[in-house]
Amino acid sequence: MSTEKTSPSQSGGDGPTGRPGRRTPLIVAAVAIVAALGIVAAVGLGDDTKDTASSGVAQIEGVTEKTRAATVLDRPFTKPDLVLTDTKGERYDLRERTKGKATLIYFGYTNCPDVCPLTMSNIAIAKKQLPQADQDKLQVVFVTTDPERDTAASLAKWLPGFGDASFTGLTGDFSAIQAGARSIGIGIDPPKKEKDGTVVSMHGAQVVAFSPTTDQGYVLYGEDATVDDYAKDLPKIIKGENP
């Protein structure tokens, strides 16, 4: 998981302000579990002075292919059964509204100091490089991991800052969001306030791509995925092909 702190003054983020500096070194680890899920990926804290074994990184198992940024899963995830609230304050059934559409799902929060805005910005820039017809076929869904602060109104204010009005922002009950994230191998914890007033939020930083032909999540991106990585892969994802 990534551990990210925000001060009380950062509450209700006003949108991206470029590419914030990284506050902690992050590494991506994929962990195999004994269940039908097949693959669970987690983002953990890294330490440049430690080797792989001491930092708790597991080897990736059960994948058919691994490129520079994308991990193609041997056993894809089922789309989360989530019914939440969108930026208009309306009910949003994730499975129903994204059925038959290429969909990228990311769990994060608006007060995130680095990884979340960078990930959303990379996706937005890459998407704009596609022909308009392909852009229209791709859905990008941002699900907050901090629903107490990320209301429908605050998401509606934050998401347009990435320059793509089609991005969907969802908020709702934390326990439902947590269960939905876990169903696709992403761990999130409730935000915690420390004695100094800072808020600590821990969440997996993966983006999961779902096929328009099967509605299954078959491609996993870590927080190190670049604009070029997404730009290269999105045309194939939109067609339901492996990148």
Side-chain angles (χ1 to χ4, degrees):
M1 286 187 182
S2 62
T3 301
E4 299 162 324
K5 296 184 178 181
T6 58
S7 66
S9 63
Q10 288 177 301
S11 179
D14 292 332
T17 56
R19 295 190 175 187
R22 302 278 290 275
R23 296 195 179 184
T24 57
L26 299 176
I27 55 176
V28 176
V31 183
I33 62 173
V34 182
L37 291 179
I39 298 294
V40 171
V43 174
L45 291 177
D47 186 336
D48 293 337
T49 64
K50 297 180 180 180
D51 59 22
T52 300
S54 63
S55 62
V57 180
Q59 296 298 314
I60 296 176
E61 300 179 17
V63 301
T64 56
E65 177 186 0
K66 187 164 191 327
T67 63
R68 182 160 62 105
T71 298
V72 179
L73 305 179
D74 184 42
R75 288 169 288 177
F77 291 117
T78 298
K79 192 173 291 181
D81 186 11
L82 278 172
V83 180
L84 298 171
T85 302
D86 65 16
T87 54
K88 297 179 181 179
E90 299 176 352
R91 177 182 181 275
Y92 190 99
D93 185 320
L94 181 64
R95 286 183 176 177
E96 178 183 294
R97 298 285 289 273
T98 63
K99 184 176 182 180
K101 299 177 181 178
T103 305
L104 301 182
I105 297 179
Y106 181 68
F107 289 81
Y109 67 115
T110 66
N111 288 285
C112 174
D114 41 37
V115 178
C116 301
L118 178 60
T119 298
M120 296 300 290
S121 177
N122 286 346
I123 293 172
I125 294 170
K127 183 182 174 186
K128 285 184 179 179
Q129 297 180 20
L130 300 173
Q132 187 60 51
D134 282 350
Q135 291 187 43
D136 294 341
K137 295 175 182 177
L138 179 67
Q139 284 196 262
V140 179
V141 180
F142 178 89
V143 184
T144 182
T145 60
D146 184 12
E148 183 175 343
R149 291 187 294 172
D150 286 347
T151 62
S154 63
L155 285 171
K157 183 179 180 181
W158 185 74
L159 279 176
F162 298 104
D164 193 320
S166 72
F167 281 6
T168 297
L170 300 179
T171 187
D173 178 72
F174 178 82
S175 60
I177 292 171
Q178 185 180 51
R182 286 177 175 174
S183 75
I184 56 174
I186 298 174
I188 63 174
D189 291 335
K192 296 180 180 179
K193 182 175 288 188
E194 297 186 333
K195 292 181 179 179
D196 63 0
T198 59
V199 177
V200 178
S201 179
M202 296 183 68
H203 65 90
Q206 305 91 343
V207 174
V208 183
F210 288 81
S211 169
T213 58
T214 65
D215 282 317
Q216 298 288 298
Y218 65 107
V219 183
L220 189 75
Y221 291 93
E223 54 88 23
D224 58 340
T226 66
V227 171
D228 289 342
D229 292 324
Y230 285 115
K232 174 174 64 70
D233 293 352
L234 286 178
K236 292 183 179 179
I237 288 172
I238 290 169
K239 296 177 182 178
E241 301 173 354
N242 289 344

